[in-house]
């Protein structure tokens, strides 16, 4: 079965880069433009293998979205993909339940490896 | 016997030895290595006489091992000792990928001591540092070698000093070998280097020094591992009109971390 990955990012360019990278690896990609849109897409797709989310976005940022998902008990693993590298933010994401943190600009092979690792880990739960 | 007093056959023998050692040194380097979440660039500029530098990167399931060292000695013996280090370490990591750096260093030391002192009847020793990197960004390190420099994403450079003893000089280094730990975050770059970098001398005989290297790292750190490696090697070449020791640089940049728990 094709695995679905939700990409939450307000940058069309980043969503396209992620889409191209992961589609080539056989994933089906769903897109959202901010945290609120991301939450809606997660509610509509209960079979997501992974969520990849930016941090800085309008309306609802990625960390707020992760906190909200944790509150609501969604088990989907989350990988943060951001230009941010502040230790405090990374620790907040970890405490909120994110499973990984990757910095932009990213190398496609590093994103591919991160996604397959986190999907594999989630399947082994 | 001084080099100038050597007979032609002996000079030829030394040249052959150096050539063999040089091939050993080059052949055991790891080449292109992929480690989850890390960008890696490494380079070695050997001197004409093999200077004894060695480095390795060994991927394991949840990260990698990074080793760097320098055999005090030249020629074929130095080449053989490098080969011993590489093959022994590879075997130890395969057998115990979750061991601590200190444990592996102590085991490696016993092998080197036995071989160098007892079997080869020689007196070479090795400066060596071993780093364990985990996918969540943690590192543990031990050994007696140059410091590790970590350039944080903020631009600040931290100096990490490993704890240990020269390898191969005494049978047991457990008492002075201690694991230390640190955390790498996305965007942080860690630089490992050999003494040929900081002891490179300019025309006045002044060494580049660790402080010079630290400042250099801050200047070139924004460009990623390849730019850091090339920047350091280029700066050493510019600093020193002639290199009298191998120059080795290993740079890893943490691009991502994962929490598997």
């Amino acid at each position: 079965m094709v695995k679905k990955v939700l990409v939450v990012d307000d940058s069309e360019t980043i969503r396209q880069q992620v889409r191209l990278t992961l589609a080539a690896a056989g994933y089906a990609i769903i897109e959202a433009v901010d945290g609120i849109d991301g939450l809606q897409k997660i509610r509509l797709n209960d079979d997501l293998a992974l969520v990849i989310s930016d941090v800085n976005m309008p309306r609802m940022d990625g960390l707020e979205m992760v906190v909200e998902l944790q509150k609501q008990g969604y088990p989907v693993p989350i990988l943060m993909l951001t230009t941010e590298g502040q230790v405090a933010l990374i620790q907040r994401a970890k405490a909120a339940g994110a499973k990984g943190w990757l910095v932009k600009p990213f190398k496609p092979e590093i994103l591919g490896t991160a996604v397959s690792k986190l999907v594999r880990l989630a399947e082994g739960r | 016997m001084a080099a100038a007093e050597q007979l032609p056959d002996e000079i030829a023998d030394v040249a052959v030895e150096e050539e063999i050692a040089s091939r050993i040194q080059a052949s055991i380097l790891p080449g292109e290595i992929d480690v989850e979440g890390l960008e890696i660039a490494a380079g070695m500029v050997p001197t004409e006489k093999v200077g004894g530098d060695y480095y390795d990167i060994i991927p394991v399931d949840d990260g990698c091992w990074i080793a760097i060292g320098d055999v005090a000695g030249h020629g074929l013996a130095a080449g053989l000792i490098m080969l011993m280090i590489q093959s022994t370490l590879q075997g130890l990591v395969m057998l115990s990928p979750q061991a601590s750096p200190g444990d592996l260093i102590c085991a490696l030391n016993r092998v080197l001591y036995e071989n160098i002192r007892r079997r080869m009847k020689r007196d070479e020793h090795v400066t060596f540092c071993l780093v364990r990197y985990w996918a969540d960004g943690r590192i543990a390190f031990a050994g007696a070698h140059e410091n590790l420099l970590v350039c944080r994403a903020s631009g600040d450079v931290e100096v990490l000093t490993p704890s240990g003893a020269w390898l191969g000089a005494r049978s047991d280094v457990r008492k002075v070998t201690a694991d230390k730990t640190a955390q790498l975050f996305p965007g942080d770059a860690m630089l490992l280097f050999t003494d040929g970098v900081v002891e490179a001398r300019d025309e006045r005989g002044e060494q580049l020094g660790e402080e010079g290297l630290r400042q250099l790292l801050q200047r070139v750190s924004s460009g990623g591992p390849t730019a850091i490696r090339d920047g350091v090697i280029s700066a050493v070449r510019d600093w020193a009109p002639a290199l009298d020791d191998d120059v080795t640089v290993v740079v890893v940049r943490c691009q991502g971390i994962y929490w598997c728990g």
Side-chain angles (χ1 to χ4, degrees):
Chain A
M1 197 172 77
V2 176
K3 294 184 174 67
K4 289 186 192 171
V5 174
L6 173 65
V7 183
V8 187
D9 201 305
D10 56 331
S11 161
E12 163 63 26
T13 307
I14 294 294
R15 294 200 307 274
Q16 185 185 29
Q17 284 178 351
V18 174
R19 186 170 65 236
L20 289 172
T21 300
L22 297 187
Y27 293 95
I29 307 302
I30 301 166
E31 297 178 30
V33 298
D34 58 34
I36 290 174
D37 191 20
L39 286 176
Q40 287 170 348
K41 298 277 170 58
I42 290 166
R43 289 187 192 110
L44 291 172
N45 295 274
D46 60 1
D47 56 348
L48 289 173
L50 181 72
V51 174
I52 299 173
S53 178
D54 188 14
V55 170
N56 297 315
M57 294 182 288
R59 297 208 298 167
M60 178 186 279
D61 71 34
L63 288 180
E64 289 172 320
M65 185 187 78
V66 174
V67 170
E68 195 59 34
L69 284 172
Q70 191 186 43
K71 273 189 208 164
Q72 297 180 18
Y74 281 96
V76 62
I78 301 160
L79 171 67
M80 310 307 294
L81 180 62
T82 172
T83 53
E84 297 286 350
Q86 292 174 44
V87 175
L89 285 179
I90 294 171
Q91 287 170 338
R92 269 182 61 200
K94 183 185 179 187
K99 290 295 181 191
W101 188 287
L102 215 60
V103 289
K104 301 171 188 171
F106 62 89
K107 284 189 172 177
E109 60 271 24
I110 288 183
L111 177 67
T113 305
V115 168
S116 66
K117 181 184 184 98
L118 293 176
V119 168
R120 209 167 53 237
L121 283 170
E123 286 173 342
R125 279 185 311 220
Chain B
M1 186 185 297
E5 298 169 340
Q6 284 177 313
L7 301 172
D9 284 354
E10 290 174 315
I11 292 170
D13 288 347
V14 169
V16 169
E17 271 201 17
E18 291 290 346
E19 173 62 21
I20 294 169
S22 175
R23 287 190 190 183
I24 292 172
Q25 185 181 38
S27 67
I28 61 173
L29 295 179
E32 291 269 322
I33 294 286
D34 284 329
V35 176
E36 292 176 2
L38 284 185
E39 291 178 272
I40 301 169
M44 180 188 289
V45 183
T47 50
E48 277 187 29
K49 272 186 133 186
V50 173
D53 278 12
Y54 151 87
Y55 73 88
D56 205 353
I57 298 160
I58 307 172
V60 288
D61 275 350
D62 57 351
C64 68
W65 289 86
I66 305 166
I68 190 163
D70 186 0
V71 181
H74 295 279
L76 190 53
L80 288 173
I81 293 166
M82 280 178 222
L83 190 54
M84 285 176 210
I85 296 169
Q86 192 275 335
S87 49
T88 303
L89 183 63
Q90 186 92 22
L92 288 169
V93 166
M94 284 182 179
L95 188 65
S96 306
Q98 299 303 335
S100 75
D103 286 344
L104 295 194
I105 281 179
C106 290
L108 175 61
N109 175 68
R110 293 183 78 95
V111 173
L112 292 177
Y113 180 81
E114 172 67 24
N115 283 359
I116 297 169
R117 293 290 193 273
R118 293 187 187 279
R119 299 192 182 198
M120 294 167 70
K121 312 282 187 210
R122 296 187 62 97
D123 60 1
E124 279 86 355
H125 64 269
V126 184
T127 67
F128 185 80
C129 177
L130 185 59
V131 180
R132 173 69 156 98
Y133 171 84
W134 285 274
D136 62 2
R138 282 176 299 135
I139 59 169
F141 55 96
H145 188 71
E146 303 298 324
N147 289 330
L148 311 174
L149 300 183
V150 175
C151 188
R152 300 294 182 184
S154 63
D156 295 338
V157 174
E158 289 178 25
V159 178
L160 306 178
T161 303
S163 176
W166 293 342
L167 304 187
R170 51 179 158 164
S171 61
D172 191 350
V173 294
R174 169 52 71 189
K175 281 184 182 168
V176 291
T177 302
D179 291 310
K180 295 184 179 179
T181 59
Q183 174 77 41
L184 296 185
F185 292 100
D188 293 348
M190 180 168 66
L191 171 66
L192 299 86
F193 56 94
T194 53
D195 59 356
V197 174
V198 286
E199 292 176 6
R201 290 179 186 276
D202 67 8
E203 287 165 345
R204 295 169 299 162
E206 189 180 336
Q207 294 184 344
L208 177 62
E210 187 181 280
E211 179 56 24
L213 180 61
R214 200 182 66 77
Q215 290 173 12
L216 172 65
L217 178 59
Q218 276 183 315
R219 287 200 299 276
V220 298
S221 64
S222 61
T226 305
I228 294 172
R229 177 198 63 192
D230 295 347
V232 170
I233 289 175
S234 169
V236 170
R237 284 184 182 280
D238 289 347
W239 181 269
L243 296 176
D244 53 11
D245 197 1
D246 294 346
V247 168
T248 299
V249 174
V250 178
V251 186
V252 298
R253 180 173 178 266
C254 179
Q255 193 172 25
I257 54 180
Y258 317 109
W259 303 289
C260 305

